[in-house]
């Protein structure tokens, strides 16, 4: 078979007018969707390079006449915005969430998949039934529990709830269910403990789902502003989303719109880069029926 004949649509299929029309329509739809998704990013970026006057000109212009890179320098130095502090807090929260999620949820999911636990099905059903509870209904109880423990305005207000994420546990358990039990039985015969089997067998085989969880956790941590706005009371503890919400985009802010867009542009870059790095794990991680081992 020739290289050009390999694919969903071969050269022979392209000779049919109906196939050409359908293919052209599909390409146009994809281009329209791509433009719709990319436009907000480009508009924010180009808006961050405009002058104050050009930003409010009518009719508005898409490309700036003069590229004012000074707006990015002003975002760091002109308005007392501790962006590096916000970034540091966000990274600490993310690293803690990742460690607690993978360690505690990973061990729990592994136990439910491969260990003999009394009433295993009922325990699993109990954990997964929490997915049906609206998140807004347990915000106040979580806050009161953390306040009684003296954990308000600390990173533990994020790390502890991250260790009880039933959705991440569901993804991990479904992936661990696909690991052949014969591999773990062989490890037990060789004298490996359950914890060693988890670290040396389950974790290496679960790279796709771990990559997916890393990306989902980063996206959640980076974009979350509501919960941090409740449990963080000091400016020095705000993550990036809460800091931007309180000091950049609120209606009484004195920061020029072009500088605001510069801050928003810088805030958009890390999730995009993180997604490009881990995008290959999305399909592999969520396709839990794939063969492993």
């Amino acid at each position: 078979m020739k290289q050009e004949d390999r694919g969903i649509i071969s050269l022979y299929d392209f000779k049919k007018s109906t196939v050409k029309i359908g293919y052209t329509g599909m390409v146009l739809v994809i281009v329209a969707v791509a433009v719709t998704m990319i436009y907000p990013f480009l508009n924010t970026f180009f808006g961050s390079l405009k002058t104050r006057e050009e930003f409010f000109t009518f009719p508005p212009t898409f490309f700036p006449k003069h590229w004012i890179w000074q707006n990015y320098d002003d975002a760091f130095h002109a308005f007392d915005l501790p962006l590096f502090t916000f970034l540091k807090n966000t990274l600490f929260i993310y690293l803690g969430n990742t460690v607690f999620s993978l360690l505690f949820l990973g061990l729990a999911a592994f136990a439910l998949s491969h260990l003999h636990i009394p009433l295993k099905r009922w325990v699993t059903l109990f954990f997964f039934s929490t997915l049906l509870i609206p998140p807004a209904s347990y915000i106040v109880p979580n806050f009161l529990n953390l306040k009684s423990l003296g954990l308000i305005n600390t990173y533990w207000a994020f790390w502890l709830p991250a260790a009880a994420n039933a959705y991440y546990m569901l993804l991990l358990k479904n992936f661990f269910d696909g690991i052949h039990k014969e591999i773990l039985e062989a490890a037990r015969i060789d004298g490996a403990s359950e914890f060693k089997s988890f670290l040396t067998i389950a974790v290496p085989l679960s790279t796709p789902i771990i990559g997916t969880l890393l990306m989902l956790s980063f996206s959640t941590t980076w974009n979350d502003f509501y919960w941090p706005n409740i449990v963080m009371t000091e400016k020095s503890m705000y993550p990036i989303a809460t800091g931007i919400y309180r000091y950049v985009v609120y209606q009484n802010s004195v920061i020029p719109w072009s500088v605001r867009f510069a801050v928003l542009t810088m805030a958009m870059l890390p999730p995009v880069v993180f997604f490009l790095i881990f995008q290959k794990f999305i399909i592999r991680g969520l396709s839990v029926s794939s063969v492993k081992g």
Side-chain angles (χ1 to χ4, degrees):
M1 181 180 293
K2 297 180 181 180
Q3 184 67 29
E4 56 269 17
D5 292 333
R6 297 178 181 178
I8 299 177
I9 304 177
S10 64
L11 293 178
Y12 175 78
D13 294 326
F14 269 113
K15 296 179 181 180
K16 302 178 181 179
S17 58
T18 54
V19 174
K20 291 182 178 179
I21 295 174
Y23 182 79
T24 302
M26 181 180 63
V27 171
L28 292 177
V29 171
I30 293 175
V31 171
V33 172
V35 171
T36 303
M37 297 180 66
I38 294 175
Y39 174 79
F41 295 94
L42 295 179
N43 186 51
T44 303
F45 171 68
F46 290 132
S48 68
L49 299 173
K50 296 179 180 180
T51 62
R52 185 195 301 264
E53 294 75 15
E54 187 179 2
F55 194 93
F56 291 102
T57 57
F58 187 84
T61 58
F62 186 69
F63 297 101
K65 296 180 180 179
H66 303 285
W67 294 44
I68 312 299
W69 295 101
Q70 181 64 31
N71 292 333
Y72 287 86
D73 184 71
D74 292 342
F76 286 100
H77 303 104
F79 297 96
D80 192 26
L81 282 175
L83 295 179
F84 287 112
T85 300
F86 297 157
L87 178 62
K88 179 201 69 174
N89 294 333
T90 304
L91 293 180
F92 280 164
I93 293 172
Y94 168 67
L95 292 176
N97 289 352
T98 301
V99 171
F100 277 81
S101 296
L102 295 182
L103 182 60
F104 291 99
L105 296 179
L107 289 173
F110 180 78
L112 292 175
S113 293
H114 295 287
L115 300 185
H116 298 288
I117 300 177
L119 303 176
K120 179 190 298 187
R121 292 186 178 180
W122 289 102
V123 173
T124 304
L125 180 62
F126 170 76
F127 280 111
F128 294 163
S129 64
T130 59
L131 294 173
L132 302 177
I133 303 176
S137 63
Y138 50 78
I139 288 179
V140 174
N142 279 351
F143 175 81
L144 295 177
N145 289 334
L146 293 171
K147 184 179 180 180
S148 64
L149 295 173
L151 299 180
I152 296 299
N153 207 47
T154 66
Y155 296 131
W156 290 99
F158 300 90
W159 296 345
L160 291 182
N165 192 312
Y167 178 67
Y168 290 176
M169 185 178 175
L170 172 64
L171 294 180
L172 287 169
K173 182 184 181 301
N174 286 346
F175 204 90
F176 288 158
D177 287 342
I179 299 178
H180 300 298
K181 297 184 181 297
E182 291 79 5
I183 302 176
L184 301 175
E185 291 293 341
R188 295 188 184 100
I189 294 175
D190 291 338
S193 63
E194 299 296 345
F195 185 70
K196 186 175 181 180
S197 298
F198 169 75
L199 291 180
T200 59
I201 297 176
V203 172
L205 292 177
S206 304
T207 303
I209 193 63
I210 291 176
T212 302
L213 293 183
L214 288 176
M215 190 192 65
L216 293 176
S217 179
F218 183 83
S219 176
T220 301
T221 304
W222 192 267
N223 295 317
D224 186 20
F225 77 92
Y226 187 72
W227 180 247
N229 199 41
I230 296 176
V231 298
M232 292 301 191
T233 59
E234 297 180 5
K235 183 178 181 180
S236 60
M237 297 296 292
Y238 289 156
I240 190 72
T242 303
I244 290 176
Y245 172 75
R246 282 181 171 266
Y247 297 103
V248 177
V249 299
Y250 78 106
Q251 59 181 357
N252 295 326
S253 175
V254 297
I255 301 176
W257 278 99
S258 55
V259 179
R260 297 189 197 186
F261 273 42
V263 175
L264 295 177
T265 300
M266 291 185 289
M268 289 190 301
L269 287 179
V272 173
V273 174
F274 204 86
F275 172 79
L276 293 177
I277 295 174
F278 288 95
Q279 63 173 332
K280 63 180 180 180
F281 294 111
I282 299 177
I283 302 301
R284 293 172 57 195
L286 296 180
S287 299
V288 295
S289 59
S290 59
V291 178
K292 301 173 284 297

